[in-house]
Amino acid sequence: MNAPRTRVQRRPVHGVLLLDKPLGLSSNQALQKAKWLLRAEKAGHTGTLDPLATGVLPLCFGAATKFSQLHLDADKAYDTTVRLGQTTSTADAEGEVLATRPVTCSVGQVVEVLDRFMGPIAQVPPMHSALKKDGKALYEYARDGETVAREPRHVVIHDLDLLNMQLNGDTPHLDLHVVCSKGTYIRTLGEDIAEALGCGGHLSALRRTHTGPFGLAQTLTLDALEAMSPDERLAALLPVETLLGGHTRVTLGAEDAGRFLSGLRRRGHWPDAERVAVYGTDPDTLLGTAHVVAGELIPGRLLSPIEIQQILENPLRETEAAKDLS
């Protein structure tokens, strides 16, 4: 007879965990494990990484989920290995090998081709992706053996550095560092580069090194999170406002803060700004986002009074404040 499963008592948790996603887990599997370890009620991530990929994956808890979209739009950076000479059904190492071709390109040709992929480019999304067509994910069509027409997407490759290469031997490959705009498929980029070299290829490794301002040096692994005490796990979370880098700060007095939280516009001597982070005073706490047009502060995504209270009541907030004063 199986032992009864222990039910985890969930609790309100608000903040951001910068996870170094491990190999072999989907983004959602990694999120669910972190959510379980933190006993959090609500969680989400800021864009997916394939099971093959590792690296920076910001996880949002509680009130932070309201601002996760901001980092879906952020530029990303990756280190990747393109295995030359073999094309696969998924454009990565998880797929079935479809064709093997000799690698005959020169170093000069590699440099010339990489230069071609710099700047604005068009990509046809891979069939093995979560992009939807007619309400159904492309990978679902692929699993059923179907290939459907996909519109090219326009993305920007800001940087494409050749870190290392091997053009002969059993595993010819290119090691690349890519800095790109949102929506870039690195699998497709690698496949297209290899095709332009005349030999075809697929991605054999992928590691996200940055998303927006967040880098690998700031991340934590699931193993490290699991080894922590419950209080240490909470202390590892960054505050919700971490997601609002680049926002103009506006601080409101108690009366205006209350009305702003009710969704009412406020008037003041603020310059026009598209992205504003709004704070209250006494205590100093995040209220939400807004934008300013002609001196009018127009609410965007707002924290609820309950969320604000829960953040203020977090005992670790007082500990961190005491550290700041010491």
Side-chain angles (χ1 to χ4, degrees):
M1 184 175 176
N2 292 332
R5 291 181 65 184
T6 303
R7 186 174 177 81
V8 175
Q9 186 65 43
R10 300 288 180 180
R11 60 184 173 179
V13 173
H14 304 282
V16 180
L17 178 69
L18 298 180
L19 184 71
D20 184 350
K21 190 191 85 64
L23 186 69
L25 289 187
S26 70
S27 292
N28 190 56
Q29 287 171 328
L31 171 69
Q32 294 306 321
K33 181 159 187 182
K35 183 180 177 183
W36 183 82
L37 288 170
L38 284 159
R39 297 191 283 119
E41 289 176 344
K42 184 179 181 183
H45 54 69
T46 61
T48 58
L49 280 175
D50 293 337
L52 171 76
T54 65
V56 185
L57 182 66
L59 303 181
C60 300
F61 296 90
T65 60
K66 295 182 174 181
F67 310 113
S68 60
Q69 179 66 40
L70 296 171
H71 284 270
L72 289 175
D73 297 339
D75 286 347
K76 313 288 192 300
Y78 299 88
D79 286 342
T80 188
T81 298
V82 182
R83 167 67 160 91
L84 299 175
Q86 283 186 347
T87 55
T88 71
S89 56
T90 58
D92 64 23
E94 295 188 316
E96 174 190 353
V97 175
L98 299 178
T100 301
R101 285 185 270 171
V103 178
T104 58
C105 55
S106 66
V107 173
Q109 286 172 311
V110 170
V111 172
E112 188 272 326
V113 164
L114 291 180
D115 191 54
R116 251 192 272 164
F117 282 87
M118 278 287 293
I121 63 169
Q123 288 190 324
V124 176
M127 281 301 302
H128 287 268
S129 69
L131 192 67
K132 291 190 175 181
K133 183 178 177 66
D134 299 329
K136 184 176 175 181
L138 290 179
Y139 66 77
E140 295 180 88
Y141 290 103
R143 285 175 185 169
D144 295 335
E146 295 181 58
T147 299
V148 297
R150 289 99 70 202
E151 289 294 322
R153 303 177 76 182
H154 296 279
V155 298
V156 181
I157 307 301
H158 300 296
D159 219 349
L160 184 55
D161 292 331
L162 180 63
L163 304 178
N164 194 17
M165 69 177 148
Q166 181 177 317
L167 299 180
N168 44 42
D170 294 334
T171 56
H173 62 270
L174 306 176
D175 292 334
L176 305 173
H177 179 69
V178 184
V179 181
C180 56
S181 68
K182 69 170 184 174
T184 303
Y185 288 99
I186 304 298
R187 275 181 297 156
T188 300
L189 179 66
E191 190 177 47
D192 289 349
I193 287 170
E195 198 58 42
L197 289 170
C199 56
H202 66 269
L203 243 59
S204 60
L206 180 63
R207 184 157 176 77
R208 185 191 280 167
T209 59
H210 274 87
T211 175
F214 306 130
L216 281 169
Q218 300 161 275
T219 61
L220 194 66
T221 65
L222 281 174
D223 286 344
L225 189 67
E226 192 164 14
M228 292 176 173
S229 69
D231 280 354
E232 287 172 332
R233 289 171 191 159
L234 284 179
L237 293 177
L238 299 174
V240 174
E241 51 263 40
T242 302
L243 296 174
L244 304 181
H247 283 57
T248 301
R249 180 181 175 123
V250 165
T251 302
L252 299 177
E255 185 177 336
D256 279 331
R259 291 180 178 176
F260 176 80
L261 281 176
S262 298
L264 298 176
R265 299 181 179 195
R266 302 286 83 206
R267 291 206 65 82
H269 300 291
W270 304 296
D272 286 3
E274 289 185 13
R275 291 189 168 192
V276 176
V278 183
Y279 291 79
T281 55
D282 194 27
D284 178 4
T285 185
L286 178 70
L287 306 178
T289 58
H291 64 281
V292 177
V293 178
E296 197 168 43
L297 185 68
I298 303 168
R301 300 305 303 271
L302 303 177
L303 274 65
S304 71
I306 291 174
E307 289 169 336
I308 292 171
Q309 191 61 35
Q310 289 167 346
I311 291 169
L312 292 173
E313 288 176 351
N314 179 2
L316 292 169
R317 176 188 169 97
E318 294 181 10
T319 303
E320 292 304 313
K323 283 182 188 175
D324 290 341
L325 293 172
S326 62

